[in-house]
Amino acid sequence: MQTKKLALAGAAALTALALAALPAQAGAAHAGPAKTVTVTVMGTSDLHSNVLNWDYFKDAAYADSAGNSVGLAKVSTLVNTIRAERGPGHTLLFDSGDTIQGTPLAYYYAKIEPITETGQTHPMAKAMNAIGYDAVTLGNHEFNYGLPLLATWIKQMKAPVLGANAVHAKSGLPAYQPFVIKTMKVKGEKPIKVGVLGLTNPGVAIWDKANVEGKLRFTDLVDSAKKWVPVIRGLGADVVVVTAHAGDNGMSSYGGDLPVENASALVAEQVPGIDAVLFGHAHNDVPQKFVTNKVTGQQVLLTEPGRWGQRLSRLDFQLAKQRGKWVVTGKSSATINTNTVAEDPKIVSLLKPQHDTTVGYVNKVVAKSAQELSAAESPYKDTPILDYIQQVQTETVKQALPDNTLPVLSIAAPFSRSAVFPAGDVRVRDVAGLYVYDNTLLAIKLTGAQIKDYLEYSAKYFNQLAPGAPVDVATLTNASGTPDYNYDQLSGVSYDIDVSKPVGQRIANLTYDGQPIPADKEFVVAINNYRQSGGGGFPHVTTAPVLYNAQVEIRQALIEYATAKGTIDPADFAAPNWKLTREGVPVF
């Protein structure tokens, strides 16, 4: 009963959007013409703070091999076009999360000139408010910069920011607005009500443990939808859309301790009363997909608009008046490529001051490199540019633990194959392009046996390759869909990875200081917060003793280390310590 009262009270506080009249469409009926209307919902997801069609790491207009564009300025042009076609009262615009993290633009206004201190409007709030979003759902990356910055951004947003399954740790009550109902006026008819329920990703509990532990819990998406969809229907919603920051494959990148990570299709299958799911998180382009609800047999429409503003989902719902109520009689969706339009000059002009400030920041020279260092081969070869990360992490931990007597190792992964330190001037954007995530540095204690387990788990990244078989680097890596960022390399010890062997039997010649490593020998291991908190599901790290956690950002540590040294010379840090083999014969 308390939940129902809470929901009704919350709903009463929601502001309905009064929209212009929808024109009737001709429709056949036995007893005269039936009133039919079309409601169009537009959707974005995983914008990751891309506002303009710009690559801050390359300091140039965004370009990829597929010819995609990025950014809200392009999205805005498409939105304006569809609103003009349909009339502004015919459309709604939603987003499914991962909004305020992902580019140096977001980093700058979270860490260099934080909006929590300056009072400036966050660039994503500024752009989304100007475009006129109707609701935005929390993604897992919304929590990266801590709850105070998130709260400031939410306050700056004109659209409600939703997250029904993010609840207060102690009370279990919603920590954010669960849903909103938008009202569309229809001339001479009962208004149409569109309810939107926002669901975020349970993985936040792992990935941003330091920011949310003891403060927030993240409940199961299916259970949360079962709780709130009837409430939304009970308040008169004629159309119900779920905006979910969760992929659709029903799987998780973590163990079974948390609710399912990619549960969007499960929500569609198991919860009655949903017309469509606008989902995200997986960064896929899914124009239209139908899932049959197992309870009602009804078809639920799913769509995902890719990432970074490369696509805009358009969902069209046909409604007819039946027994005095609006009923959805048809629905379809498509994704529109934003490379088909120019940027909206209004958004470009609005964001120019913050964009220019960010461009100035990323072009600051921090050091000179003795030679060009590339990450292109780092997923399958020991490369100096990744050794640079290892060196900085190792030195940072050693300085922070002056009384430590254990050997210090370091873990790093190839985040970007396109990263390059050019010969000569190295700028902030070059370093940021190498370390693209906002991770912080920790140090944990592991034994020799645990390190062996860890490396075996990491080595599942490679496809098995028989001795003597041709080597194709295009098919050697990313076995079973394992992303590059989940292939960890360890510095401070030496080892071979025998890719001719099955998973779990690949690590050979594991030594420290030239000697085989005893199972009980202890090491200090520098590791990032994503990995230490369980991201990627690596063994032992979540329960290992934490020896250091000063919330030092690894990217900033790389920048400061380079600035202090003034030069980046592989002679100072390159230490080849691992290689791929087949029956003892090096692959390369």
Side-chain angles (χ1 to χ4, degrees):
M1 198 65 188
Q2 183 182 10
T3 299
K4 191 170 182 182
K5 286 180 182 175
L6 170 75
L8 293 172
L14 302 177
T15 55
L17 177 66
L19 299 172
L22 293 174
Q25 294 179 349
H30 296 298
K35 191 76 171 184
T36 62
V37 294
T38 299
V39 171
T40 297
V41 170
M42 296 172 285
T44 53
S45 189
D46 296 273
L47 292 166
H48 284 284
S49 72
N50 286 279
V51 179
L52 305 183
N53 188 43
W54 192 257
D55 185 335
Y56 291 97
F57 302 132
K58 292 186 170 63
D59 196 30
Y62 179 86
D64 66 14
S65 58
N68 289 306
S69 297
V70 298
L72 274 173
K74 291 261 189 171
V75 169
S76 182
T77 299
L78 285 179
V79 168
N80 291 338
T81 301
I82 292 169
R83 283 174 176 161
E85 288 173 359
R86 302 273 304 121
H90 304 189
T91 64
L92 294 167
L93 177 60
F94 302 143
D95 181 87
S96 288
D98 276 5
T99 302
I100 60 171
Q101 177 277 340
T103 67
L105 177 72
Y107 180 81
Y108 190 88
Y109 289 99
K111 292 293 186 178
I112 308 301
E113 288 187 25
I115 60 168
T116 47
E117 296 175 11
T118 65
Q120 277 203 63
T121 301
H122 193 284
M124 292 304 286
K126 191 177 287 188
M128 294 177 107
N129 289 344
I131 294 168
Y133 273 77
D134 295 295
V136 175
T137 289
L138 294 168
N140 52 284
H141 282 286
E142 263 62 84
F143 298 88
N144 286 174
Y145 294 121
L147 298 182
L149 185 121
L150 175 55
T152 301
W153 172 68
I154 290 173
K155 196 177 296 182
Q156 293 175 349
M157 287 288 292
K158 291 179 181 176
V161 178
L162 310 178
N165 60 324
V167 301
H168 290 292
K170 291 181 180 175
S171 68
L173 297 175
Y176 302 95
Q177 187 168 320
F179 66 89
V180 67
I181 295 177
K182 300 291 186 179
T183 302
M184 293 179 163
K185 290 184 178 177
V186 182
K187 190 174 183 179
E189 293 284 352
K190 182 181 176 183
I192 292 174
K193 290 185 176 182
V194 179
V196 56
L197 172 68
L199 299 171
T200 192
N201 202 289
V204 175
I206 289 177
W207 304 321
D208 271 303
K209 183 179 178 181
N211 291 328
V212 302
E213 189 174 31
K215 300 170 185 173
L216 297 176
R217 287 189 290 108
F218 298 86
T219 58
D220 182 83
L221 276 79
V222 172
D223 291 345
S224 299
K226 284 180 177 176
K227 172 181 175 180
W228 289 106
V229 169
V231 172
I232 297 168
R233 286 288 184 188
L235 292 167
D238 304 296
V239 182
V240 173
V241 177
V242 172
T243 47
H245 193 76
D248 63 340
N249 65 11
M251 299 167 67
S252 300
S253 64
Y254 41 74
D257 294 339
L258 291 179
V260 173
E261 176 183 353
N262 294 301
S264 289
L266 299 177
V267 170
E269 280 181 355
Q270 298 177 29
V271 184
I274 297 169
D275 294 296
V277 180
L278 172 72
F279 69 100
H281 186 58
H283 290 198
N284 293 325
D285 179 6
V286 182
Q288 177 176 278
K289 173 181 176 177
F290 286 98
V291 170
T292 303
N293 184 271
K294 292 179 177 177
V295 180
T296 64
Q298 297 295 311
Q299 295 293 293
V300 183
L301 176 64
L302 279 77
T303 180
E304 182 181 20
R307 62 178 183 176
W308 304 350
Q310 294 180 350
R311 304 288 186 274
L312 175 73
S313 283
R314 172 176 175 158
L315 302 83
D316 290 312
F317 300 93
Q318 291 76 45
L319 289 90
K321 201 74 171 292
Q322 296 178 4
R323 298 186 180 87
K325 291 182 64 177
W326 291 110
V327 176
V328 175
T329 56
K331 52 197 171 188
S332 61
S333 65
T335 54
I336 308 168
N337 199 322
T338 58
N339 70 4
T340 58
V341 295
E343 291 182 300
D344 182 347
K346 172 184 165 185
I347 303 302
V348 173
S349 174
L350 185 66
L351 272 295
K352 189 176 189 303
Q354 290 174 310
H355 168 73
D356 288 349
T357 297
T358 305
V359 169
Y361 165 69
V362 299
N363 278 292
K364 283 173 54 180
V365 175
V366 294
K368 287 190 179 295
S369 180
Q371 63 189 70
E372 180 179 287
L373 302 177
S374 169
E377 296 181 326
S378 55
Y380 47 88
K381 288 183 182 178
D382 189 336
T383 53
I385 198 166
L386 250 67
D387 286 343
Y388 182 70
I389 299 173
Q390 308 279 32
Q391 170 80 359
V392 174
Q393 293 183 162
T394 300
E395 290 301 315
T396 303
V397 168
K398 282 182 176 178
Q399 289 175 21
L401 301 174
D403 299 326
N404 170 60
T405 58
L406 300 176
V408 178
L409 314 181
S410 174
I411 287 167
F415 289 158
S416 170
R417 298 189 186 205
S418 61
V420 174
F421 286 177
D425 288 347
V426 175
R427 303 172 192 276
V428 168
R429 61 182 168 87
D430 300 316
V431 181
L434 172 64
Y435 207 98
V436 297
Y437 296 108
D438 299 314
N439 293 332
T440 59
L441 184 64
L442 294 89
I444 58 175
K445 187 191 292 185
L446 292 177
T447 66
Q450 291 173 327
I451 284 168
K452 172 75 159 46
D453 288 346
Y454 192 99
L455 290 172
E456 289 286 10
Y457 182 88
S458 185
K460 71 184 178 69
Y461 169 76
F462 296 101
N463 284 299
Q464 194 167 356
L465 190 64
V471 178
D472 179 1
V473 295
T475 59
L476 179 62
T477 63
N478 306 101
S480 302
T482 304
D484 290 353
Y485 63 74
N486 276 346
Y487 170 49
D488 281 356
Q489 304 170 16
L490 192 64
S491 74
V493 296
S494 295
Y495 59 98
D496 297 339
I497 302 172
D498 190 333
V499 294
S500 70
K501 297 285 196 291
V503 171
Q505 302 172 33
R506 293 179 166 179
I507 303 302
N509 303 320
L510 177 59
T511 61
Y512 171 73
D513 205 16
Q515 299 298 317
I517 298 176
D520 59 351
K521 183 174 178 62
E522 293 183 329
F523 295 88
V524 176
V525 183
I527 190 170
N528 70 56
N529 66 298
Y530 173 81
R531 187 69 77 235
Q532 185 274 335
S533 62
F538 282 69
H540 307 304
V541 292
T542 60
T543 55
V546 175
L547 306 179
Y548 164 77
N549 183 10
Q551 296 292 295
V552 168
E553 291 175 34
I554 296 171
R555 182 194 295 138
Q556 194 60 29
L558 294 171
I559 291 168
E560 290 174 3
Y561 190 89
T563 304
K565 288 276 189 183
T567 58
I568 297 174
D569 187 343
D572 297 334
F573 55 81
N577 67 296
W578 69 269
K579 63 182 180 294
L580 301 185
T581 64
R582 290 181 290 184
E583 299 291 354
V585 179
V587 174
F588 301 106

